[in-house]
Amino acid sequence: PLHIAAKNNDTTTALKLIALKADPKAQTMFGDTPLSFAVANGNLALIQALNQPNVSFTPKEGSVLLKKALLNGHLEAATLLIE
């Protein structure tokens, strides 16, 4: 459900699911995470909610997310990812 909310840019539902402890690192069968959908949509509020210190990503995952943000023209999203 968190993937679907993030993919559909439904911030309200996604934030409720996060509060209910939905797994932010869960992956689709294609390897997409809720954060990758939020980055692709440039959803800053959701990126901030999903990109927390207790949710770590490998350097490779981080670089893929940064590339996705930049390729979609979401400079603010890219900035959030590198802060």
Side-chain angles (χ1 to χ4, degrees):
L2 183 53
H3 289 90
I4 295 167
K7 185 176 183 178
N8 291 329
N9 218 15
D10 184 352
T11 305
T12 303
T13 300
L15 293 176
K16 287 179 184 176
L17 291 167
I18 292 167
L20 293 170
K21 307 294 186 208
D23 184 4
K25 288 207 50 148
Q27 296 183 355
T28 67
M29 64 183 187
F30 301 108
D32 292 308
T33 63
L35 182 56
S36 67
F37 289 122
V39 168
N41 289 329
N43 187 324
L44 302 178
L46 194 49
I47 292 168
Q48 287 177 319
L50 291 165
N51 193 23
Q52 295 297 314
N54 62 329
V55 180
S56 61
F57 294 91
T58 67
K60 182 180 178 184
E61 290 169 324
S63 64
V64 168
L65 291 168
L66 184 58
K67 182 178 178 181
K68 186 175 283 199
L70 294 172
L71 287 174
N72 285 293
H74 301 305
L75 299 179
E76 289 180 82
T79 301
L80 279 177
L81 292 170
I82 59 176
E83 287 181 339

